[in-house]
Amino acid sequence: MGDKKIRVAITHGDTNGIGYEVILKTFADQAMFDLCTPIVYGSPKVAAYHRKALDLPTNFSIIEKAEDAQDGRLNMLATFEEEVKVDLGQPSKEAGDAALKALDRAMSDYRSGLYDVLVTAPINKNTIQSDLFHFHGHTEYIEQSLGEGKKALMILMNDTLRVALVTTHLAIKDVADAITQEAIIEKATIFHQSLKRDLSISNPRIAVLALNPHAGDGGVIGTEEETIIKPAISELEKAGIQAFGPYPADGFFGSGMYFRFDGVLAMYHDQGLAPFKTLALENGVNFTAGLPIVRTSPDHGTAYDIAGKGIADESSFRQAIYAAIDIWRNRQNYDEPLANPLPKLYHEKREDGEKARFTVKKELPKS
């Protein structure tokens, strides 16, 4: 297992953004090919356009199907044949359609077992909308496509901070109604399991943030802390999950309390992501936990303002690849002992009054 080259599928994202720039810069480093076999789901012609416009040295090989991907090279899988006009820095429906075609092919190939992990370059959530894509982002789309009924959890992480969200891409006016005891318990439970299985933290400690300023000030500013969040934390504790709080978000991050915890559960998008991106600088990663597939992405968007200027930093994208590989390996290590459990022991009943002895009960290994 340790010698296996992990196949990393990469979707090219919005073709007018910095997706191809960070992909090509990442794989200009030959050491990346010692870690994985990359398969870029996109357009060789668009990739060549970006490479020339940015004067990048990265070479790639064109393939027609994922099965043809070879180790030691950047494999460029053509996901559509149509010409795509590249207008760097400008949103367009054409670029959104190109992003969706790459994503759709990647979803199909994962179902066929043609790669191990998925790393997605940024999309424009407006231009990608269509009859086939009516989601708020990658997370919701992948949950429906590959979730097998399981719920996704958005986690933003680096080496020192991991922030998960109870609500994700939701308008602020709708957040309070979406914060329920059930939602907090569900997301915290997924978070707890992901910290153990995906990130190899044996007994994780989770800090739960408040919804209102000053944690509601005893009900003066809001009551959700007393009526929803604290009861949810109590239920989590009964289930054996170490959850603490609720903590006012400003003081929690401002005082550095996040260093005391393995994960932070935020109530809504900007409450968790604004401080995370301030603290994470260029090494943050977006990880979609809770699903059978391992999917990561950089923690930035299409960055139209710098597209085509050659100044995009590929650090977050590279970290997304590292994280996906680490999580995949952690899952293998976590699941392996569970696949073939040790034989169970039981007390053999004796009718003669003698002391019972242990006997091995043989069981077939689980498939």
Side-chain angles (χ1 to χ4, degrees):
M1 182 179 69
D3 297 328
K4 180 183 184 297
K5 276 287 181 65
I6 296 176
R7 287 195 160 203
V8 179
I10 299 168
T11 53
H12 66 175
D14 190 287
T15 51
N16 291 337
I18 63 169
Y20 272 113
E21 180 176 350
V22 296
I23 292 170
L24 293 171
K25 283 182 174 179
T26 294
F27 288 99
D29 180 0
Q30 291 298 307
M32 294 298 296
F33 299 109
D34 295 332
L35 297 175
C36 65
T37 299
I39 308 169
V40 179
Y41 284 70
S43 164
K45 290 182 179 179
V46 174
Y49 180 94
H50 280 259
R51 182 176 62 183
K52 183 177 180 180
L54 297 164
D55 193 24
L56 296 172
T58 314
N59 293 318
F60 56 80
S61 300
I62 302 172
I63 60 175
E64 294 184 358
K65 57 184 186 299
E67 296 96 312
D68 296 335
Q70 296 185 32
D71 295 342
R73 61 184 62 185
L74 182 60
N75 299 278
M76 190 68 60
L77 195 158
T79 55
F80 51 87
E81 298 179 357
E82 301 90 333
E83 294 285 340
V84 177
K85 179 184 177 183
V86 178
D87 192 2
L88 288 168
Q90 299 298 319
S92 73
K93 190 67 176 67
E94 196 172 3
D97 290 343
L100 180 55
K101 288 173 183 174
L103 266 174
D104 187 54
R105 176 68 176 273
M107 297 298 99
S108 297
D109 280 4
Y110 182 79
R111 296 187 196 101
S112 299
L114 300 181
Y115 61 83
D116 299 305
V117 300
L118 174 66
V119 179
T120 59
I123 58 173
N124 181 314
K125 295 177 180 61
N126 181 32
T127 61
I128 199 173
Q129 296 297 318
S130 71
D131 292 339
L132 299 176
F133 193 103
H134 45 82
F135 306 93
H136 291 146
H138 277 115
T139 303
E140 296 84 359
Y141 172 76
I142 295 170
E143 177 186 86
Q144 177 162 308
S145 299
L146 303 176
E148 299 175 7
K150 296 184 178 180
K151 293 293 185 179
L153 176 70
M154 181 186 290
I155 301 176
L156 273 289
M157 63 185 194
N158 65 4
D159 291 338
T160 58
L161 178 60
R162 306 165 194 92
V163 178
L165 305 177
V166 176
T167 63
T168 52
H169 301 115
L170 194 63
I172 287 293
K173 66 181 178 62
D174 299 324
V175 168
D177 288 341
I179 301 299
T180 64
Q181 187 172 329
E182 292 74 20
I184 293 170
I185 292 171
E186 177 185 68
K187 297 298 185 181
T189 302
I190 297 171
F191 196 17
H192 172 80
Q193 179 62 15
S194 181
L195 289 168
K196 291 176 62 177
R197 181 177 181 234
D198 299 329
L199 302 177
S200 294
I201 299 170
S202 59
N203 192 21
R205 291 165 52 89
I206 298 173
V208 180
L209 298 185
L211 174 64
N212 298 298
H214 308 296
D217 261 347
V220 175
I221 302 177
T223 60
E224 286 85 358
E225 284 73 23
E226 300 297 328
T227 62
I228 296 172
I229 301 177
K230 286 184 179 179
I233 291 173
S234 296
E235 290 301 314
L236 290 167
E237 291 172 347
K238 292 176 184 177
I241 295 174
Q242 292 198 82
F244 306 87
Y247 299 104
D250 56 350
F252 181 85
F253 287 107
S255 65
M257 281 188 68
Y258 56 88
F259 283 116
R260 303 179 188 177
F261 298 92
D262 301 300
V264 181
L265 185 65
M267 293 297 110
Y268 58 93
H269 187 278
D270 284 12
Q271 183 189 50
L273 269 56
F276 175 84
K277 292 188 178 185
T278 301
L279 295 165
L281 299 176
E282 292 87 19
N283 66 348
V285 173
N286 182 351
F287 166 44
T288 303
L291 303 182
I293 188 173
V294 174
R295 175 258 170 170
T296 64
S297 72
D299 71 347
H300 58 71
T302 55
Y304 288 139
D305 57 325
I306 61 171
K309 298 180 180 179
I311 60 174
D313 189 332
E314 73 276 17
S315 299
S316 180
F317 190 83
R318 183 180 286 111
Q319 289 298 326
I321 294 173
Y322 292 159
I325 292 170
D326 286 344
I327 291 166
W328 188 87
R329 287 174 173 161
N330 288 341
R331 284 189 179 183
Q332 306 302 305
N333 293 333
Y334 186 91
D335 294 345
E336 188 175 19
L338 303 178
N340 295 289
L342 293 172
K344 292 183 179 178
L345 301 176
Y346 72 96
H347 282 287
E348 184 183 44
K349 291 183 178 180
R350 300 286 297 271
E351 295 181 358
D352 56 6
E354 292 289 329
K355 185 178 180 180
R357 58 186 173 85
F358 284 112
T359 307
V360 174
K361 179 182 179 183
K362 294 183 179 179
E363 292 185 347
L364 294 175
K366 295 179 181 179
S367 60

